[in-house]
């Protein structure tokens, strides 16, 4: 085979491996299977405020519903597990 044929086979194989690796990692990390906005209204668990769990906290921040870590107010993602608040 000529060099150009080997190069073409290598590039196609490399691209295929990259696509398969991407799909594997996306699915193993809980990739999004449904389009955004397709959740029914109220499907997400309500955010629990710090004041609900600890009255001495003064209502500052929220607890993550995934890992339970305390997060300061104003953040959208948990500082421990990176889950959406």
């Amino acid at each position: 085979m000529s060099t150009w044929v080997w190069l073409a086979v290598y590039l196609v194989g490399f691209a295929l491996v990259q696509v398969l690796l991407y799909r594997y990692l996306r699915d193993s990390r809980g990739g999004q299977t449904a389009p955004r906005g397709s959740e029914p209204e109220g499907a997400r668990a309500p955010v629990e405020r710090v004041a609900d769990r600890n009255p001495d906290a003064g209502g500052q921040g929220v607890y993550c519903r995934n890992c339970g870590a305390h997060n300061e107010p104003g953040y959208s993602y948990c500082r421990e597990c990176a889950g959406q608040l």
Side-chain angles (χ1 to χ4, degrees):
M1 285 190 179
S2 73
T3 305
W4 293 108
V5 173
W6 281 110
L7 182 62
V9 169
Y10 173 76
L11 289 175
V12 169
F14 184 75
L16 180 62
V17 167
Q18 293 298 314
V19 168
L20 292 175
L21 184 62
Y22 168 74
R23 291 187 64 170
Y24 171 76
L25 291 176
R26 184 189 64 183
D27 293 341
S28 68
R29 291 183 183 168
Q32 198 170 8
T33 57
R36 287 189 174 178
S38 65
E39 291 180 335
E41 190 64 33
R44 301 180 80 188
V47 175
E48 184 178 354
R49 303 279 171 210
V50 173
D52 296 340
R53 195 179 282 192
N54 184 2
D56 298 331
Q60 299 295 316
V62 296
Y63 281 101
C64 176
R65 67 188 130 206
N66 295 327
C67 68
H70 173 259
N71 293 281
E72 287 79 21
Y75 289 96
S76 300
Y77 296 95
C78 177
R79 64 185 175 130
E80 295 294 325
C81 70
Q84 190 171 8
L85 297 175

